Amino acid sequence: MKFASLSLKRPITILMIFLGLFVLGLVSLNRIPLGFLPSTSGEHAWISFPYRASTPKDVEEKILIPAEDALATLPKLKDMWARASAESAGISLDFEEGVDMNMMVAEIRDRLDRIRDDFPDDFERYYIWRHDTGDIPILWLGYNLKNNLETNVNIKDEIETKVRAINGVSQIDIEGVITNDILIKVDEDKLRQFKISQYTLLESLRNNNINYSMGKIETDETTYYVRTLNKFNSFDEIRNMPLKGDIYVKDVAKITREKQQEDDFRRINGHRSLTFSVHKESSSNTVRTSEEVLKTLNKIENKYNIEIYTLFNQGAQIKQSLQNLIQNGIWGALLAIVVLYFFLKKLNLTFIIAFEIPLSIIFTLGVMYFLNINLNIISMMGLMIAIGMLVDNAVVVTESIYKLRQEGKGLIKSIIRGTNEIGLAVFTASLTTMIVFLPLFLSSGRFGDFLKYIAATIIIALSMSLISSLLLIPLFSFVFMKDAGGKKDFTLRIKGFYKKLLSWFINHRIYTVLIIIIFIFLSFIPIKNIKKESMNSNSGNDIVIRFRNRGDITQKRLKEIVFPVEKKLIENKKELHTQYVTTRIRSRGIRVRLFLDPDKMDVDNNKIIDTIQKKYLPKNIPGVDIRFGWGHHSGGGASERKGVFNVVLYGKDFEYLYNIASDLAPVFEQIEGVKTVDYEEDGETQEVNVRLNRNKTNHLGINSWQVLSSISSMLRSREIGELNIGGTQMELAVERNDLDNLRISDIENSNIYLQNGEVIKLKDISNFNIEPGMKTIVHDNREVSLNMTLTTDIEDPTVLKNNIMNLTRGYNFPKGYGIRMGEKFERERESMNEFFFFMIMALLLVYMVMASLFESINMPLGIIFGLPISILGSLWGIYLTGGRINFMSYMGFIILVGIAVNNGIVIIDHINRLRIKGYSKVEAILQGGKDRFRPVLMTTFTTIIGVFPMSLGFSDTFFIKYSTLTRTVIFGLFTSMFVTLLIIPVLYSIIDDISEFHISKIRKIFSKED
């Protein structure tokens, strides 16, 4: 390799090239986008079908099943999950990897539009969402409402208008909206008095509030487009619309402004509130956008004298994470420089090597910017991992040059020879580190996309380090290494001891092998006893408590139970490490959510749950189920949370599945470590089933559809269009004025008007029965299913799975019913298979690169055999420090494969070069080990010290534990240092003897034939 010669011959050219890269890197510092997570879309779509005030069974039959039938034959569809409730239907679609989601969304829309006429007439629209980590809200906020409706509407409108106008904001979603809508409140007694049916009123209003395009009239001069303008423009137009003779709408109804519905409102810290989320444009800077939004909201706070609570701030999390990572990176770099000076005892050499860290990072940021890789907590993790490795190449090159200078060689000759001698080994060592990450680009799924970002960042950083070490280090050495003198190498005495120790290992190879076997045997202690966590889990920053009404108590009674609990939680926020307590009240139940203090990330969520259960929750409340769960605003579903697993019951009837879940829940709660068992959202409810007598309706000439429509109009608000007054768009809806106090007897006694003018009661032509029903119905691949969620201290999925299977083995499931492990167990199995695939591919690629360098099939085996020992060293370190094996640990093992072989490559390459010079095998091993002793110590300790600050846990977030990864790498590298200096030379000796033995045998065979 002639890099050194090129650098010395064309110094100005080399400087200009790197100066250009440096300038590009500095420019990109202010332009590179900051994000929370990499923007990954995935092969997933969610379709929502809002349809309020119905029943789950009705929604299932009229909306869900037709939609499932239409979507079931979509190409490359992998899984379909669907859900029907009293308010909506939803379908989740997972496709095979690599599918074009733009085409697939168009295909979904086309198929649903084809069956649009099969949906109920009052069904309005459906919505399609594609999963994208970029869609996670950058802010989730809330504020307490005022007593005045007009003021609340003005605040809401101003927030919505001004936030949406901010550069970088794509949308704002307001939940628990204070509406500006209009309600026509119908007086049922007046309808009876004037003999007008609810259906007649509704159809009259709907038909009189419509603009319609009629066509066009063409003349020789021009074309006239004809349309009717019949929409209401004022409240008076609605009031004075005739219904029947001299009877007007104002005679049977009142027009009012709609207030927030009591069955869906929110509280923050005990006060009634409104919450909203803010989303950014894909190309905007998350930190800047969130700061601009908060500045705007601060002005609105002061104007209306309200307090806006920041429940979740992605920008602040990014800023804090990046600041922590940068601080740790700076400390790591400084400590690495201290280590370098400790070994070199020369400021000029330390400067040459240390300058590699900031240069490589700035070069890397420039390349990332032009490759459209944004700076987020995933890519930053890759950068921080790379910091400790950035100086490795520079250390080896500088050490090689300096060694020749100390031997009395000239400066230019030392630079050229020292770089050339070590250049190929350095290139190969860097290539093995980079090539380890190539299999990560084959990974799939959300975590697979994250792994690609880590791999890309590390590969870019190491590439920049390699190029600069081979071109800039020779140039810097020419400028700063004029003097070869200096303090005596303090490692000389240690080198002497090391050479004697290595000589003993070489001369007692049987004992060496025995030591290795004993170490491997003893390593079964951590393998068996070390605690494991799910590879697909992360700690969340919130806890949800669901109080579910089983239908036995009133909503008022449920509030009387929950509000005192809410008050206790608010009063004890400090003990529970909580910032905010939010409450959402709905007709089906109440959800209390605790947002944890981000400064208390080391607190175990399960311990907080234990405290709440023991101190703040009432015991055995009749008619109420209390379940714990997790929120979703910060990305990932509940099943991705630490200690949360799910199992699926499947069969033919949802009610029967619910009964099975009721049997199994207390059984699962007996498993040691299981905290709570949650199954679906609501379970059973009571339904009033109305069955019309067809004989009677046909005999009386009654239109069944009108009867059913009238019943539906009695039970819920019916939207009839929009009203535009003064540029303000408002929804127009009709409902009866006593809707909140409606009783079954009111429906039974509702009037049915016959064509001959007679009036009968609904109960005269129908039967009313109260029967149990379900509040939610779930389909899994078109099969009725029920999801059971377990919150547990058991973090090893295998242990929990075995416990569940043992307990359910004796349960007598009816024919066609059964239980299977949920998606998290399946993802765990897939993740483990993928990890072993990565490891095998990494080992294979590393072996191929080393075989090419050594031009030998046997030589790389010694280094490969040393890798498992390094990994076992990591396990010992994790075990002795009380750590756990999780996703970040596995990432550490993959990284370890790439960096643990570097010193082994350099030392074996040097041994081979010494043998070419005439050294005997043993002499070459001893001298090679001694020559590379200091570089091995330097590269190992600079890497360890470089990532050490991250291992302390100050950079950890709720979602990523950097400390786990860095500790895995640190323990593995420390073990690898001894493996490289003592074990690999012995394995080299053994493998070389075996090779020589076989070669001699082959030569004898061929010599006999001659």
Side-chain angles (χ1 to χ4, degrees), residues 442-592:
L442 302 176
S443 57
S444 59
R446 181 182 170 195
F447 282 111
D449 290 332
F450 291 172
L451 292 176
K452 293 170 189 174
Y453 271 81
I454 296 173
T457 308
I458 293 176
I459 288 173
I460 293 169
L462 293 181
S463 299
M464 294 296 101
S465 170
L466 174 64
I467 293 170
S468 59
S469 66
L470 293 177
L471 289 174
L472 276 184
I473 293 298
L475 199 56
F476 287 164
S477 298
F478 180 75
V479 176
F480 297 105
M481 204 185 287
K482 300 294 184 182
D483 179 20
K487 296 182 180 179
K488 188 177 180 182
D489 182 3
F490 81 96
T491 62
L492 286 176
R493 185 176 298 177
I494 305 174
K495 282 181 181 179
F497 171 76
Y498 162 69
K499 190 173 182 179
K500 292 178 181 177
L501 184 63
L502 179 58
S503 176
W504 185 91
F505 271 77
I506 294 293
N507 294 322
H508 300 83
R509 293 186 302 186
I510 294 177
Y511 292 117
T512 303
V513 173
L514 187 62
I515 291 171
I516 295 172
I517 293 171
I518 292 172
F519 178 76
I520 293 172
F521 180 77
L522 290 175
S523 296
F524 279 98
I525 296 173
I527 291 172
K528 186 177 180 181
N529 295 300
I530 198 167
K531 294 182 179 179
K532 299 179 181 65
E533 293 179 0
S534 170
M535 288 183 70
N536 296 281
S537 295
N538 58 68
S539 297
N541 66 333
D542 59 348
I543 295 172
V544 172
I545 313 169
R546 294 184 179 91
F547 298 83
R548 292 173 183 167
N549 188 347
R550 292 201 298 262
D552 302 333
I553 62 173
T554 63
Q555 183 77 342
K556 181 181 178 181
R557 173 59 185 149
L558 184 60
K559 290 179 184 178
E560 291 173 352
I561 294 169
V562 176
F563 284 179
V565 175
E566 176 198 52
K567 184 180 179 182
K568 289 179 184 177
L569 296 176
I570 294 168
E571 292 172 348
N572 295 277
K573 288 191 296 182
K574 188 173 182 180
E575 180 191 0
L576 300 172
H577 308 288
T578 298
Q579 275 192 318
Y580 303 107
V581 177
T582 68
T583 306
R584 183 177 183 182
I585 297 135
R586 307 190 71 179
S587 59
R588 301 174 296 174
I590 298 178
R591 184 187 69 184
V592 178

Side-chain angles (χ1 to χ4, degrees), residues 128-191:
I128 302 176
W129 285 277
R130 288 173 53 182
H131 170 74
D132 192 323
T133 52
D135 291 337
I136 299 172
I138 61 170
L139 287 164
W140 197 41
L141 311 109
Y143 66 91
N144 294 335
L145 296 176
K146 299 280 189 178
N147 293 326
N148 184 278
L149 175 63
E150 193 72 33
T151 304
N152 287 328
V153 170
N154 292 337
I155 295 172
K156 188 267 294 185
D157 289 345
E158 187 164 347
I159 288 175
E160 195 169 13
T161 303
K162 291 192 174 180
V163 169
R164 187 173 281 121
I166 295 172
N167 185 33
V169 172
S170 63
Q171 70 182 71
I172 174 172
D173 296 326
I174 298 181
E175 301 173 351
V177 177
I178 298 298
T179 65
N180 201 25
D181 298 342
I182 305 302
L183 269 182
I184 301 174
K185 306 283 281 187
V186 179
D187 188 326
E188 191 68 23
D189 292 333
K190 293 287 182 68
L191 286 180

Side-chain angles (χ1 to χ4, degrees), residues 627-691:
R627 304 289 176 185
F628 284 85
W630 318 95
H632 307 276
H633 70 275
S634 52
S639 64
E640 291 180 357
R641 296 301 179 88
K642 183 178 177 182
V644 180
F645 299 88
N646 65 300
V647 295
V648 179
L649 301 176
Y650 61 89
K652 301 173 183 178
D653 182 79
F654 195 81
E655 294 179 36
Y656 204 97
L657 290 178
Y658 190 82
N659 293 333
I660 295 174
S662 301
D663 293 339
L664 293 179
V667 176
F668 291 161
E669 286 174 343
Q670 298 305 311
I671 299 174
E672 186 178 354
V674 172
K675 300 296 181 184
T676 62
V677 179
D678 191 6
Y679 42 98
E680 286 313 315
E681 288 214 349
D682 303 296
E684 290 185 336
T685 185
Q686 298 295 313
E687 290 184 358
V688 178
N689 292 322
V690 182
R691 293 178 174 86

Side-chain angles (χ1 to χ4, degrees), residues 298-408:
N298 186 52
K299 294 177 182 177
I300 297 175
E301 274 185 306
N302 296 332
K303 179 179 177 180
Y304 291 100
N305 192 28
I306 60 173
E307 181 179 0
I308 296 179
Y309 305 103
T310 304
L311 305 175
F312 171 69
N313 186 345
Q314 194 182 117
Q317 287 199 8
I318 294 169
K319 196 172 181 179
Q320 186 64 42
S321 297
L322 295 182
Q323 285 177 348
N324 287 340
L325 287 170
I326 290 169
Q327 287 175 3
N328 287 331
I330 292 171
W331 277 109
L334 292 174
L335 289 172
I337 292 170
V338 171
V339 170
L340 289 173
Y341 184 75
F342 177 76
F343 280 100
L344 297 173
K345 294 294 191 294
K346 287 182 69 66
L347 282 174
N348 57 347
L349 292 184
T350 304
F351 169 78
I352 292 172
I353 298 171
F355 201 58
E356 184 84 0
I357 296 175
L359 276 182
S360 296
I361 290 176
I362 291 173
F363 295 161
T364 301
L365 290 174
V367 175
M368 286 172 62
Y369 174 72
F370 284 98
L371 291 179
N372 200 28
I373 300 174
N374 68 353
L375 204 58
N376 50 64
I377 58 177
I378 301 297
S379 56
M380 275 297 293
M381 181 171 68
L383 270 179
M384 294 304 104
I385 292 168
I387 275 184
M389 298 184 283
L390 292 179
V391 297
D392 287 3
N393 295 326
V395 166
V396 175
V397 173
T398 305
E399 172 75 14
S400 179
I401 295 170
Y402 186 64
K403 181 174 175 294
L404 292 173
R405 287 287 287 142
Q406 285 186 316
E407 292 176 0

Side-chain angles (χ1 to χ4, degrees), residues 785-803:
S785 65
L786 186 148
N787 191 61
M788 300 184 71
T789 303
L790 283 70
T791 306
T792 170
D793 284 339
I794 304 171
E795 292 163 350
D796 185 353
T798 305
V799 173
L800 182 60
K801 180 180 177 180
N802 292 337
N803 284 330

